[in-house]
């Protein structure tokens, strides 16, 4: 049976008001929610912190959030867990589904199909506002042909199970990275790596010597970021637009690095660029301009755009320079923020000025056995998640259109001929 979305949901039904006795809020802006993943939630104290003027929409479990600005950037998600005093930006349309009519997960997956996102973007591009945008009523006016609630739930379970596995992988990777960073600090900053007797080096009286960085373990050396790795700046990819019928690659820019993957609207470049400018899964990418960040890219083969470094080393495993760059990242961000330009950045001299410590070969090899394994595990989980996303994205339109039906008496999929 066909419905309009506005018949199935309340849209923007609750806003925060002065009468609300709230001492703090958790605030979610549109830029911090992409493809269902929340990057950051701010905790703000009412009366102490300045609340953003757009912090008005109340949300609850099962609410669906869709950014009304530039829909093709995919700032959408569904609230699956209760977050007390969660307030979101007025840049979101907040859909509160009627649970008697529609399964929230099913509706979320329906609304996040490429076909729906592209339609909303086409409407947004006709707007007269400063940015391509839509009114919430445009979402409310969309039509959906709903199967029975039982079938909605079965379809949603398939898609959400894949999504939950992806989220589980993300959570495991967060913990793995936290462990690896803690171990890196313990060994390379606190100097508590195990000595020949397996005891913490520094606190067990290990010999320390003077250096320009203060006291360091005997046999260690002071070096710099630009000495332990090579930093390849990307190409101005607007000059490498693919010719007609020429093989092409997505362009890896700062936005794609932040999102962890290119989307269908990503710029493309010729695949005939030099191999060294082609990014593959597991490469370390360092954004040195704009949004300064470093990450392990696992979003597929791409062309490296300018303002990004591809970081490699002939001598050291990637964990070594990855964690040393992370140790200096806050300082780099401060340097970039001090620039009197709209797009702050660092210079290569800043890499030279960033000191690191080179351990003895014995300590390095011991660390490599542990930290190298952790980094490989992180990469493998990221690649697995990418494959799961691909499966999910293939299934989504087929399940929604009925091309693949879900029998309710078993868990097997049946493809309609």
């Amino acid at each position: 049976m066909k419905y309009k979305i506005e018949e199935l949901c309340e849209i923007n039904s609750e806003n925060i008001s002065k009468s609300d006795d709230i001492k703090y809020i958790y605030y979610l802006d549109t830029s911090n929610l992409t493809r269902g993943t929340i990057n950051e939630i701010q905790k703000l104290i009412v009366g102490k912190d300045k609340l953003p003027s757009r912090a008005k929409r109340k949300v609850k479990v099962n609410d669906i959030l869709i950014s009304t600005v530039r829909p093709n950037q995919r700032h959408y998600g569904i609230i699956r867990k209760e977050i007390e005093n969660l307030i979101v930006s007025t840049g979101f349309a907040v859909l509160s589904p009627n649970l008697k009519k529609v399964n929230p997960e099913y509706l979320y997956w329906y609304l996040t199909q490429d076909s729906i996102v592209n339609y909303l973007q086409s409407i947004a591009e006709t707007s007269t506002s400063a940015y391509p945008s839509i009114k919430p009523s445009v979402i409310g006016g969309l039509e959906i042909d709903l199967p029975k609630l039982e079938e909605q739930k079965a379809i949603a379970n398939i898609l959400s199970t894949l999504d939950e596995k992806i989220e589980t992988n993300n959570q495991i990777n967060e913990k793995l990275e936290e462990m690896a960073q803690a171990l890196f600090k313990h060994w390379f900053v606190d100097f508590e790596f195990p000595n020949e007797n397996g005891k913490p080096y520094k606190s067990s009286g290990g010999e320390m010597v003077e250096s320009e960085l203060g006291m360091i373990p005997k046999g260690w050396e002071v070096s710099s970021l630009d000495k332990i790795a090579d930093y390849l700046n990307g190409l101005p990819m607007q000059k490498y637009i693919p010719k007609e019928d020429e093989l092409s690659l997505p362009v890896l820019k700062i936005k794609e690095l932040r999102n962890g993957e290119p989307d269908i609207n990503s710029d493309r470049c010729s695949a005939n660029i030099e191999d060294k400018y082609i990014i593959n899964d597991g490469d370390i990418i360092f954004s040195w301009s704009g949004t300064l960040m470093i990450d392990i890219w696992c979003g597929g083969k791409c062309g490296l755009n300018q303002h990004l470094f591809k970081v490699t080393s002939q001598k050291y495993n990637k964990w070594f320079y990855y964690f040393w760059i992370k140790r200096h990242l806050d300082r780099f961000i401060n340097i970039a923020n001090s620039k009197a330009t709209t797009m702050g950045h660092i210079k290569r001299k800043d890499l030279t000025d960033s000191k690191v410590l080179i351990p003895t070969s014995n300590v390095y090899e011991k660390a490599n056995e542990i930290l190298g394994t952790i980094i490989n595990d992180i990469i493998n989980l990221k690649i697995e998640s990418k494959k799961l996303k691909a499966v999910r994205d293939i299934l989504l339109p087929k399940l929604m259109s009925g091309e693949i039906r879900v029998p309710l008496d078993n868990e097997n999929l049946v493809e309609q001929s």
Side-chain angles (χ1 to χ4, degrees), residues 342-362:
T342 56
M343 198 169 185
H345 61 279
I346 62 169
K347 298 180 179 179
R348 286 188 180 268
K349 181 179 181 300
D350 297 313
L351 299 175
T352 305
D353 293 340
S354 300
K355 302 305 179 183
V356 305
L357 292 174
I358 308 297
T360 61
S361 59
N362 183 49

Side-chain angles (χ1 to χ4, degrees), residues 231-238 240 251-253 273 276-279 285-286 288 303-311 348:
Y231 299 80
L232 176 69
N233 191 23
L235 299 171
M237 287 302 180
Q238 67 271 21
Y240 297 87
V251 176
L252 175 56
K253 297 185 290 187
I273 56 176
K276 64 181 180 180
Y277 293 106
I278 294 178
I279 303 304
I285 308 299
F286 177 23
W288 57 267
L304 182 67
N305 197 54
Q306 58 188 346
H307 303 294
L308 296 174
F309 285 136
K310 176 182 178 181
V311 192
R348 286 188 180 268

Side-chain angles (χ1 to χ4, degrees), residues 263-282:
D263 61 40
I264 59 173
N265 299 294
S266 295
D267 293 336
R268 300 190 72 84
C269 66
S270 169
N272 293 323
I273 56 176
E274 290 184 71
D275 284 347
K276 64 181 180 180
Y277 293 106
I278 294 178
I279 303 304
N280 293 290
D281 290 342

Side-chain angles (χ1 to χ4, degrees), residues 83-225:
I83 302 174
E84 189 177 18
N85 298 340
L86 179 59
I87 305 297
V88 302
S89 168
T90 52
F92 284 117
V94 178
L95 282 65
S96 302
N98 182 333
L99 303 185
K100 293 181 179 180
K101 293 182 177 179
V102 64
N103 178 278
E105 292 282 349
Y106 181 88
L107 182 60
Y108 169 68
W109 290 115
Y110 178 84
L111 292 171
T112 56
Q113 294 179 91
D114 285 345
S115 58
I116 299 294
V117 171
N118 291 338
Y119 171 76
L120 295 178
Q121 179 64 22
S122 69
I123 300 298
E125 289 172 355
T126 66
S127 68
T128 57
S129 57
Y131 304 103
S133 61
I134 57 172
K135 295 180 179 179
S137 58
V138 173
I139 300 173
L142 293 172
E143 283 195 340
I144 180 173
D145 193 356
L146 279 182
K148 294 179 180 180
L149 269 170
E150 188 180 6
E151 187 173 352
Q152 292 176 40
K153 183 178 179 180
I155 291 171
N157 281 344
I158 291 171
L159 298 168
S160 296
T161 297
L162 290 169
D163 220 36
E164 287 166 7
K165 173 56 178 170
I166 293 166
E167 180 57 27
T168 297
N169 285 353
N170 292 340
Q171 291 174 0
I172 293 172
N173 273 348
E174 286 178 12
K175 294 300 181 184
L176 286 173
E177 177 137 346
E178 286 176 11
M179 290 168 48
Q181 289 197 60
L183 181 62
F184 184 88
K185 179 179 181 296
H186 192 61
W187 283 34
F188 293 91
V189 179
D190 301 331
F191 309 131
E192 296 290 23
F193 54 89
N195 63 16
E196 62 274 10
N197 298 317
K199 295 181 178 180
Y201 182 86
K202 185 177 179 180
S203 59
S204 298
E207 187 175 355
M208 307 289 285
V209 297
E210 282 281 0
S211 78
E212 63 182 284
L213 295 181
M215 301 298 289
I216 64 174
K218 184 180 179 181
W220 288 36
E221 299 176 1
V222 177
S223 187
S224 58
L225 285 179

